Amino acid sequence: MKYRLLKLISLTILLTMIGSLAYGQGATSSLAGSVIDPRGDAIAGAQVTVKHVGTGEEFSAVTAGNGTFNVPTLAAGVYNVMIAAQGFKQAILTDVKLDAGTPGSVRATLEVGAATETVTIQGGGEILQTQSATISTTLDVNQIASLPLVSRNPINFLVLLPGVSTPTDNRNSIINGLPESAIDITLDGINIQDNF
């Protein structure tokens, strides 16, 4: 009897841990990129540091033989990317914005020079999306508030998208023929709707 109870408790704890890991998967992003020299050749062994502007957390990577790097499991937010390699000036890409669940990609060209010299590239927020064919956008609060509409409910903006039909109200919109249960409404990358 004790053995069965202990086994049941262990199984419950294990399932809870697996469920919590699966639930948080959509709240992160990743940043990949490539580092090249002025001729377009890949730079292997470059040190890449990705720093979250808000929290100060730093993540490191080293470019592979083909000049690429990948930093997985980053929280959504704005980052500065610092890249250094021997024989080249250090490059800093500022304001690289990552959205939850959307991997980002940057490309940096290092200039020949001393490692003590720095080239800062402002406004790196427009990152390339090369890892997914999904087309999406993120509107912030200021963008929604500045629109000349009566309602500031983001759901009301669904009717403005191509492929959306609204038989009754905006909450029951059909996007490209998908059933209502296939539509996912998230806040900061976390599902906030009742699909049933």
Side-chain angles (χ1 to χ4, degrees):
M1 181 69 174
K2 283 184 179 181
Y3 177 72
R4 280 189 178 177
L5 182 60
L6 183 61
K7 191 175 179 180
L8 181 63
I9 291 172
S10 299
L11 181 62
T12 304
I13 292 172
L14 178 66
L15 290 175
T16 304
M17 288 173 45
I18 291 172
S20 65
L21 288 173
Y23 181 74
Q25 283 180 349
T28 61
S29 184
S30 65
L31 181 66
S34 60
V35 181
I36 59 173
D37 65 16
R39 295 186 318 179
D41 295 332
I43 299 175
Q47 297 291 326
V48 179
T49 305
V50 180
K51 183 176 182 180
H52 192 283
V53 173
T55 64
E57 277 186 286
E58 290 188 1
F59 306 89
S60 298
V62 177
T63 58
N66 61 358
T68 61
F69 68 91
N70 186 30
V71 182
T73 321
L74 295 172
V78 178
Y79 290 85
N80 290 336
V81 180
M82 292 149 285
I83 303 168
Q86 185 143 8
F88 295 93
K89 297 178 184 177
Q90 180 181 17
I92 301 175
L93 288 73
T94 61
D95 301 326
V96 175
K97 184 173 180 267
L98 293 178
D99 294 321
T102 306
S105 179
V106 294
R107 182 180 174 111
T109 303
L110 299 186
E111 296 179 14
V112 177
T116 56
E117 297 179 88
T118 302
V119 176
T120 302
I121 302 165
Q122 299 277 337
E126 295 301 318
I127 59 176
L128 301 175
Q129 177 50 267
T130 60
Q131 300 175 2
S132 170
T134 303
I135 299 172
S136 66
T137 188
T138 301
L139 298 176
D140 63 30
V141 175
N142 294 330
Q143 290 172 306
I144 293 173
S146 66
L147 290 172
L149 298 172
V150 176
S151 169
R152 299 293 180 233
N153 185 348
I155 301 299
N156 293 336
F157 293 102
L158 280 175
V159 296
L160 303 175
L161 298 173
V164 175
S165 64
T166 309
T168 55
D169 64 357
N170 297 342
R171 274 283 216 196
N172 297 319
S173 295
I174 299 170
I175 301 174
N176 293 328
L178 293 172
E180 291 175 30
S181 62
I183 298 171
D184 187 26
I185 300 171
T186 61
L187 177 65
D188 294 331
I190 298 173
N191 186 337
I192 60 167
Q193 72 185 27
D194 181 5
N195 288 333
F196 304 103

